[in-house]
Amino acid sequence: MIDHHVNVLVVSAHAADFVWRSGGTIAKYVKQGANVSLVILSYGVRGESNDLWNVEGQTVDNVKRIRKSEVEAAANHLGVTNMEIWDFDDYHMQITEDRMERLTRKIREVKPHHIITHGPKDAFNPDHEMVSDYVFKASVLSTSNGVQLEGSPTAKQARLFGFEPHQSEISDFKPEVIIDITDVYEQKEAAMNCFKAQQHLIDYYGAKASLRGNHARRCSGNNDYKYAEAFSRFFPYVGGELV
């Protein structure tokens, strides 16, 4: 059940990743009262803002300003109010010991039931694979009593879900979880339209949501599903019944 007892942490490598890949799921959890925290590790200045660099005289600071405004507008459409941008360099992102501790502390602070981030394989984007490993390792550290960080009590093991990568087939991605986002798709669409720096992806991810909606209908028999998002799982489902 999704309600105010559920904590979700979303970790996005670049400015728009969380919208393309999980915007509908985020909006759905927020709409139903869950506590959603969003961490964006970088603005994607070097590798995720190509259209902005076509402007003569463009600067790093201006790209960051534009991307920040896009992120804030998109988060507003999804209903996210708890958001941090850590401003790491991208392409290629480096994870230091201090950064590992920072994310470990964040996981312990949020105490998420679910963590949504990049899956372990993402063709052509080593930042995404790096972040997948980063989040997994920090989640493990967050549960260990032996990893003592002052003022930071341990968390319980969260369920980890991986975004569907952009190049699904080339990345050997197979949906393990499909989430219906039909009732919040307009919010996702509005959030996607905030990212003028990557406008070519708006139609692509709209089509992807429709495709996964088709899969949701076929797999469930529920013809009310029109739009959906797909995820991989880091761990098997555990429970007392088949669901």
Side-chain angles (χ1 to χ4, degrees):
M1 178 181 293
I2 303 174
D3 59 26
H4 68 280
H5 297 293
V6 175
N7 301 328
V8 180
L9 175 62
V10 183
V11 182
S12 179
H14 308 106
D17 292 331
F18 73 100
V19 173
W20 308 131
R21 295 165 170 81
S22 65
T25 301
I26 291 170
K28 183 171 191 148
Y29 271 77
V30 171
K31 183 177 180 179
Q32 296 191 37
N35 307 299
V36 178
S37 300
L38 172 63
V39 171
I40 297 168
L41 298 177
S42 80
Y43 289 103
V45 170
R46 288 162 57 91
E48 304 276 317
S49 305
N50 285 351
D51 291 353
L52 296 179
W53 287 107
N54 291 328
V55 176
E56 186 175 354
Q58 188 62 275
T59 65
V60 168
D61 286 345
N62 193 52
V63 170
K64 287 184 179 182
R65 180 189 62 78
I66 293 170
R67 304 248 57 187
K68 185 173 187 290
S69 67
E70 291 176 341
V71 166
E72 290 172 346
N76 184 60
H77 282 299
L78 301 181
V80 175
T81 57
N82 189 348
M83 180 184 72
E84 299 175 12
I85 303 175
W86 289 4
D87 195 14
F88 294 177
D89 288 336
D90 67 312
Y91 275 51
H92 297 302
M93 193 175 292
Q94 302 296 320
I95 303 304
T96 63
E97 186 174 336
D98 286 346
R99 290 177 174 183
M100 186 64 73
E101 179 178 318
R102 184 176 183 182
L103 184 57
T104 301
R105 285 184 177 276
K106 184 64 181 179
I107 294 171
R108 289 180 173 183
E109 172 194 324
V110 174
K111 293 180 170 50
H113 298 91
H114 312 298
I115 299 176
I116 306 174
T117 190
H118 299 270
K121 187 172 182 181
D122 199 330
F124 311 124
N125 203 314
D127 278 1
H128 292 174
E129 295 184 352
M130 174 75 74
V131 169
S132 179
D133 185 61
Y134 175 38
V135 174
F136 170 73
K137 288 178 177 176
S139 76
V140 173
L141 295 177
S142 75
T143 68
S144 176
N145 290 331
V147 180
Q148 298 187 0
L149 303 175
E150 186 177 355
S152 182
T154 56
K156 292 183 179 180
Q157 180 62 60
R159 301 179 182 91
L160 270 67
F161 298 92
F163 298 142
E164 177 169 4
H166 180 70
Q167 302 289 351
S168 306
E169 296 81 5
I170 298 173
S171 301
D172 295 328
F173 175 83
K174 293 182 180 178
E176 294 177 299
V177 178
I178 298 177
I179 301 296
D180 169 47
I181 61 167
T182 304
D183 65 330
V184 291
Y185 181 70
E186 289 185 1
Q187 289 176 252
K188 174 170 181 166
E189 190 173 46
M192 290 194 298
N193 276 294
C194 294
F195 291 100
K196 306 307 181 186
Q198 294 172 287
Q199 198 156 9
H200 61 290
L201 294 179
I202 295 171
D203 289 341
Y204 177 89
Y205 279 101
K208 181 73 78 172
S210 182
L211 172 68
R212 294 309 182 197
N214 176 276
H215 292 163
R217 291 192 299 276
R218 183 65 183 84
C219 292
S220 69
N222 187 334
N223 289 324
D224 292 334
Y225 295 162
K226 293 181 172 55
Y227 300 101
E229 291 170 340
F231 302 88
S232 58
R233 299 183 66 102
F234 283 63
F235 308 121
Y237 164 75
V238 179
E241 59 181 309
L242 295 173
V243 295

